[in-house]
Amino acid sequence: SVQLVESGGGSVQAGGSLTLACVNSGKQYSAYAMTMGWFRQAPGKRREGVAVITRDDDTAYADSVKGRFTISRDNAKETLYLQMDSLNPEDTAMYYCAADPYLSLTAIQALRSRGDFGYWGRGTQVTVSS
């Protein structure tokens, strides 16, 4: 199966940076063989796509994070990253890692298709204070 474990969340001041990591500890599928992404959910809001990377390394970002966040993947370490710079209070949310070995979508399509991801981590909290 696919087991995803996120880390790297925390509390930072506006303008600061954080790097989230998501380790695929399952043995069934390798990270490089899956579409993987980061989603977030703030209190009272729907879960939204933040950034996605496909098996072909196609990437897509939510408009709200373009130019500030960078998604990357280290296949040897089975780890997905999200580098977050210039954080602002609106970025405060629980961040979830998601993956699916069967998605045949472009990155921008996958970003808008959270329901199609079959595997999810438990999340890591990011809090940005002003």
Side-chain angles (χ1 to χ4, degrees):
S1 64
V2 176
Q3 298 177 354
L4 306 173
V5 180
E6 304 98 333
S7 63
S11 297
V12 295
Q13 290 191 326
S17 298
L18 283 173
T19 300
L20 305 184
C22 169
V23 177
N24 170 34
S25 59
K27 303 298 183 183
Q28 187 170 7
Y29 299 102
S30 295
Y32 73 85
M34 297 189 289
T35 292
M36 301 186 74
W38 291 97
F39 293 77
R40 68 185 181 186
Q41 188 167 18
K45 295 188 177 181
R46 298 178 66 185
R47 191 171 298 188
E48 63 175 358
V50 176
V52 166
I53 184 167
T54 68
R55 290 186 294 271
D56 299 325
D57 291 333
D58 180 27
T59 59
Y61 298 88
D63 288 343
S64 60
V65 307
K66 280 181 183 176
R68 300 188 298 121
F69 290 11
T70 303
I71 190 170
S72 62
R73 179 171 50 200
D74 186 330
N75 294 330
K77 294 183 178 179
E78 292 289 333
T79 302
L80 180 75
Y81 298 99
L82 185 68
Q83 175 67 41
M84 305 187 295
D85 298 318
S86 302
L87 285 161
N88 59 60
E90 289 70 39
D91 296 317
T92 295
M94 183 71 79
Y95 283 71
Y96 298 90
C97 175
D100 199 283
Y102 302 115
L103 282 182
S104 296
L105 302 173
T106 64
I108 190 66
Q109 291 172 332
L111 192 67
R112 299 166 181 168
S113 304
R114 66 185 184 278
D116 291 335
F117 282 83
Y119 300 95
W120 292 83
R122 294 189 175 185
T124 185
Q125 178 67 37
V126 172
T127 303
V128 185
S129 59
S130 59

